[in-house]
Amino acid sequence: MKKLAATLLLACALPLALAHSQTPEEKGLEIATAAKKANAGYVGESSEMEMVLINAHGDRTERRMVSVISEAPDDGDKSRIEFLWPADVKGSRMLTWAHKDKDDDQWLFLPAINRTKRIAARNKSGSFMGSEFAYEDLGSQEPEKFAHKLIAEETLGDRSVWKTERAPLNADSGYSREIVWLDKEYMNPTKIEYYDRKGELLKTAIFSDYRKTGQWWRPFRIEMANHQTKKSSVLTWTKRELSVTHNAVLFASDELGS
Amino acid sequence: MTNHGILAIVVASVLVGTGSAAGALDTSARGELGVEGRVFTTDTDDRTDDYNVAVSGRVDVTASGAAVRAKMRLFGRYDAVDGERTVLVPEEVWLEWRSERFRLRAGHQLLNWTATEAFHPADVINSRLFDSAIENPDKFGEPMVSARAQLGDGNVELMFMPVFTKPKGPSASSRLRLAAPGLAVDRTIHTDDDGQVDDDTFVPQWALRAQQTFGSADVSLHAVRHIDRDAPVIYYDPERAEVIALFQPLTQLGGTLQMASGSVVLKLEAAYRMFEPPSGTIPYLPPVPDRDYGLVAAGVEYGLVHASGAGSTLLCEAQAALDYPHEADRLAPLFQRDLLLGYRFAFNDEDEKSLVVLVIDDLERSEHFMLTGRYSQRLGERWGIKAGFQWLHFPARDPAMPLGFEWLDDADHIHASLFRYF
């Protein structure tokens, strides 16, 4: 009887022991990889977006853009953003070929001078269109580009989430670390806190208005609040379609200005 | 503007208009309308204008269907002081048919083959309006038929240009002329493949260009056979009392490289130019020496982002003319052995404020330099301002006979413009 009880105890305890044998770092990476996998397979995306910039006095200015994304199963995605508003930047386009294990390739087309320029993609901490979003906030979030760690499993509002920490491996990132609340159903973040290079809390992003398109959940609203400047920016999608197959020419660098 | 330019605009307007009205094409439009002014330091010469006031605008309309596209981009300027600066330029007026990996385009096209910021040995197709930014003059659209095939991460493109589009030089009263005060080109002619003067506007010209992305590098190679647009032989015909600019047929082989590495972008442009010399006797034309030569420009751009989200960019570029014959000095390219140092600060704020400072220094004559400063920002959602200055210091080696940039000595000026975008 004692032998049977001991066997049962071992059988129950082993998975727990194995689970606990994973370090928080391994578990964090596993969650990030699972999230990447859950969001994969969408083939391509077409979006129309609006962004409202709100300064410390509450003044609001608007930006509009459209984007297309083509999924690359073995590497980072290819994306192209065209700016529609304000009028002076209308027609400017940015093309990014994201990579898992090296710097992204990036080009900018400026209609005013009718020129496509290759740009250094490592400087991703710069402001995106004068907003509180940095380029690295909106780019491809490949798990391989961060060191991950699971902090806790908890609820945020009424949502069940993993709370993880990830540290950018790119030394040129504007962040020392990010705290991510990853929704277990959406397999996407509902909140991210960004800490600057000095370790101070810099910004908080709230992801909301999640909608299911096919098998994938996507946020239709991101609000980014900068705690240091008291400015904020709200990005909303007026259209977001998945499973779209784009012509490869759309992502050719030499066609960006065509 | 030429007749073929007007015809191209009419055809494009009809295509865009009927296509849009029929709902067959998606159209988009952008443009700007502005007031601009510039003031030079006084030269106490009544033959020149020390200031200009102008209204300028640009409109850009594109209509796209499943397999066809049409584009019309026009630039116009009315100068209230110098009538010669009043222009209407068809920059892009073309119709395109395309399939998945092939496109055929016909009409006025604006090409930009450059990799560097100030020196552009590879970018030679379009003729320029030389009374504009010295390091980046405005361009005329080039009438052409081009066929492009996508290959790998790049393309191969063949271009046929049937017309010699004459560059437009500064007027006799412009402070940015490269000639004596009161002097301007009265007539532009060119020679043909046999070296004979040819007044015909229709000249078969062609270009071939291949471009490919290899990892973090963009590489292009080109071959061009056309009538040169940059370095004319200027001479005086006393019989007609005309200053004549003679352009020669030119074959150019060249290429560009842009490569990103970390926070740095490396840039390289090179070209070898082979001129077809005039032959026989052209009245009053001075002897034109052979002047085949190479031009190499290289540069590096280093970007860094500040904690505020603003960005700084440091620029360093140099250009050198190789194998340039000294006996052809008076026909030399403007930048023969020059160094550019620049700094750009982008505030990356909601007004898109930006500040640029550039200095170009002649390495052979260090007292020759050009200092440029530019500031721009958006004013609200639809307005913007641009302002700047240029300090031009090119004392002449022989004051009795200045050469090239030396005519610009002391043409220092400030400029400002206010634009409304639509």
Side-chain angles (χ1 to χ4, degrees), chain A residues 31-58:
Chain A
I31 292 166
T33 305
K36 169 75 181 172
K37 191 175 173 186
N39 284 293
Y42 66 93
V43 182
E45 179 175 338
S46 286
S47 301
E48 293 175 8
M49 292 166 277
E50 291 177 359
M51 187 164 61
V52 177
L53 283 53
I54 306 164
N55 68 15
H57 306 293

Side-chain angles (χ1 to χ4, degrees), chain B residues 165-187:
Chain B
T165 306
K166 295 174 181 176
K168 186 171 175 54
S171 72
S173 62
S174 172
R175 290 291 302 277
L176 293 181
R177 74 201 176 280
L178 295 172
L183 208 59
V185 170
D186 298 303
R187 198 156 65 98

Side-chain angles (χ1 to χ4, degrees), chain A residues 63 85-88 90 105 107 111 113-115 117-118 122-123 125-127 130 249 253-255 258, chain B residues 29-30 69 73 98 100 103 110 112 115 117 148 150 155 216 218 258 263 303 305 309 348 350 378 381:
Chain A
R63 308 278 185 266
W85 190 260
D88 62 329
K90 186 176 180 181
D105 292 306
W107 296 265
I113 55 173
N114 199 44
R115 180 177 170 192
K117 288 182 68 173
R118 183 180 265 273
R122 185 171 285 185
N123 300 321
S125 58
S127 165
V249 170
S253 61
D254 52 309
E255 286 285 322
S258 294
Chain B
R30 64 184 296 274
R69 241 173 8 137
R73 175 176 151 134
R98 72 186 309 151
E100 192 169 336
R103 82 170 197 207
L110 200 63
N112 198 331
E117 300 302 308
R148 176 186 283 198
Q150 292 294 130
N155 67 67
S216 60
D218 300 328
Q258 288 188 80
S263 301
V305 177
N348 284 340
E350 57 266 38
R378 184 184 297 135
E381 299 269 288

Side-chain angles (χ1 to χ4, degrees), chain B residues 108-408:
Chain B
H108 286 68
Q109 298 184 40
L110 200 63
L111 308 181
N112 198 331
W113 289 358
T114 195
T116 55
E117 300 302 308
F119 310 119
H120 312 299
D123 190 35
V124 293
I125 294 279
N126 296 94
S127 289
R128 265 67 166 179
L129 290 93
F130 284 106
D131 195 342
S132 54
I134 294 170
E135 65 276 22
N136 280 304
D138 293 332
K139 297 174 177 177
F140 288 99
E142 179 76 16
M144 68 168 71
V145 178
S146 64
R148 176 186 283 198
Q150 292 294 130
L151 286 174
D153 287 329
N155 67 67
V156 176
E157 185 166 15
L158 181 63
M159 290 147 268
F160 174 69
M161 297 89 75
V163 174
F164 169 50
T165 306
K166 295 174 181 176
K168 186 171 175 54
S171 72
S173 62
S174 172
R175 290 291 302 277
L176 293 181
R177 74 201 176 280
L178 295 172
L183 208 59
V185 170
D186 298 303
R187 198 156 65 98
T188 299
I189 59 173
H190 64 89
T191 48
D192 60 18
D193 292 345
D194 299 323
Q196 303 295 316
V197 171
D198 184 352
D199 275 332
D200 197 352
T201 305
F202 292 92
V203 185
Q205 302 158 96
W206 59 267
L208 178 68
R209 186 173 190 249
Q211 185 182 344
Q212 197 67 216
T213 294
F214 300 100
S216 60
D218 300 328
V219 180
S220 78
L221 295 170
H222 69 258
V224 178
R225 173 70 180 181
H226 74 159
I227 305 297
D228 169 52
R229 315 296 167 90
D230 285 334
V233 182
I234 308 281
Y235 67 100
Y236 185 67
D237 180 341
E239 274 182 40
R240 297 183 180 212
E242 282 181 337
V243 176
I244 298 174
L246 182 140
F247 289 87
Q248 298 166 249
L250 167 75
T251 301
Q252 172 164 311
L253 304 174
T256 65
L257 166 74
Q258 288 188 80
M259 191 168 82
S261 177
S263 301
V264 169
V265 179
L266 303 169
K267 303 165 178 186
L268 181 69
E269 275 190 59
Y272 195 78
R273 295 175 176 174
M274 292 161 278
F275 289 86
E276 213 64 63
S279 67
T281 305
I282 298 174
Y284 309 109
L285 178 71
V288 178
D290 286 342
R291 48 170 173 154
D292 297 351
Y293 63 93
L295 272 177
V296 178
V300 60
E301 185 175 311
Y302 175 74
L304 66 157
V305 177
H306 306 287
S308 64
S312 289
T313 306
L314 300 168
L315 295 165
C316 179
E317 293 180 359
Q319 173 164 289
L322 309 174
D323 291 336
Y324 194 82
H326 284 298
E327 59 270 25
D329 267 356
R330 66 192 169 85
L331 305 173
L334 290 176
F335 297 107
Q336 296 175 65
R337 197 161 302 242
D338 293 81
L339 175 72
L340 172 142
L341 295 174
Y343 175 71
R344 182 167 56 222
F345 184 80
F347 290 75
N348 284 340
D349 58 359
E350 57 266 38
D351 297 327
E352 292 276 326
K353 296 188 197 86
S354 166
L355 182 68
V356 178
V357 179
L358 302 170
V359 61
I360 297 178
D361 187 47
D362 186 328
L363 294 176
E364 285 180 349
R365 295 177 58 80
S366 59
E367 72 274 22
H368 281 195
F369 68 87
M370 179 169 84
L371 178 66
T372 304
R374 287 195 298 266
Y375 175 80
S376 63
Q377 81 161 83
R378 184 184 297 135
L379 297 171
E381 299 269 288
R382 290 186 176 274
W383 293 85
I385 55 163
K386 296 173 187 170
F389 70 90
Q390 202 152 48
W391 181 16
L392 304 163
H393 190 69
F394 298 104
R397 281 165 281 196
D398 177 2
M401 187 174 286
L403 283 174
F405 269 152
E406 292 173 354
W407 289 109
L408 297 177

Side-chain angles (χ1 to χ4, degrees), chain B residues 71-92:
Chain B
K71 185 176 177 92
M72 183 170 64
R73 175 176 151 134
L74 309 175
F75 168 72
R77 177 173 56 216
Y78 169 74
D79 192 303
V81 178
D82 181 355
E84 290 286 304
R85 293 187 78 232
T86 298
V87 289
L88 177 60
V89 179
E91 293 180 325
E92 292 186 271

